[in-house]
Amino acid sequence: ALAALALAASVAAGFVTGNAMRSDDPPQPAKVVPGPAAKATDRPPVVTSAIDRLDARRVSLRRRLDGAANARGQAAAAAGLAAAYGRAQAKIAAGATTDAERELAARLGDAEAAYRTLAAAARRTTPGRWRLARAAALESERQLELLLRTGSWT
C-alpha cells in the first residue's frame, strides 16, 4: 500500500512538472492592415494618458507573468494585468465622447476579463484551462493593439 501511494505521488508530481503552466511564448505583434498608422499625438488626451500608463504597467507585469515560477505567481501577475487594463478601461470610458473611444474602452474591458479568467485558471492549476485562457488574453491584446495602431478613433 505504501509503494502504491509513493507511485501515485510520483505520477502526480510528474504530471504537474510536465504540464507546468508557464507563459513562455511572448505575444506576437498584431497583424495590421496596410494604411496610415495612428501616431500617439493623434489620440485624444484621455486615451494617451490611459494607454501610456497601461503600457508602463503592462511591460513589468508581462515580465512577471512570463517569469512566474509557479501557479501562484502566474495568478498574481495575471490579476495585476487585469487590474491595469481595468483602470485604463475606466479612465477612457469616463472620458469617452465618441463611439471609437467607447469601442476602445470595450476592448480594454475585454482584456481585463481575459486576464481575470487567466488568473482564475492559474489559481485552479488546470493546464487545459490555462492554455485556453492564455490564448484568449493574448488575442484580446492583439485586438487592442490593432485598434491602437490603426487609430480608428480619429
Side-chain angles (χ1 to χ4, degrees):
L2 188 56
L5 181 61
L7 178 61
S10 174
V11 168
F15 173 80
V16 170
T17 302
N19 291 295
M21 298 181 304
R22 298 195 55 85
S23 57
D24 50 1
D25 297 329
Q28 297 298 312
K31 292 183 180 176
V32 180
V33 291
K39 294 179 276 189
T41 56
D42 294 338
R43 298 176 183 166
V46 68
V47 171
T48 299
S49 171
I51 296 302
D52 287 350
R53 182 174 175 159
L54 172 62
D55 283 346
R57 289 295 297 146
R58 186 183 157 285
V59 169
S60 65
L61 288 166
R62 284 287 305 163
R63 280 191 196 124
R64 278 184 46 204
L65 180 61
D66 291 342
N70 56 37
R72 186 177 192 182
Q74 290 170 336
L81 281 159
Y85 278 102
R87 282 189 296 276
Q89 185 275 337
K91 185 172 185 176
I92 290 173
T97 59
T98 67
D99 288 341
E101 290 169 6
R102 286 185 277 281
E103 174 66 22
L104 178 59
R107 296 271 176 96
L108 288 162
D110 292 345
E112 176 190 13
Y115 276 108
R116 287 206 188 289
T117 301
L118 186 63
R123 283 191 291 275
R124 287 188 204 105
T125 63
T126 310
R129 285 186 180 169
W130 166 263
R131 284 188 290 277
L132 289 173
R134 183 168 170 264
L138 292 176
E139 180 58 25
S140 70
E141 282 196 12
R142 284 187 195 105
Q143 292 296 318
L144 179 60
E145 186 176 325
L146 178 62
L147 180 61
L148 290 170
R149 284 191 182 180
T150 60
S152 63
W153 55 81
T154 57

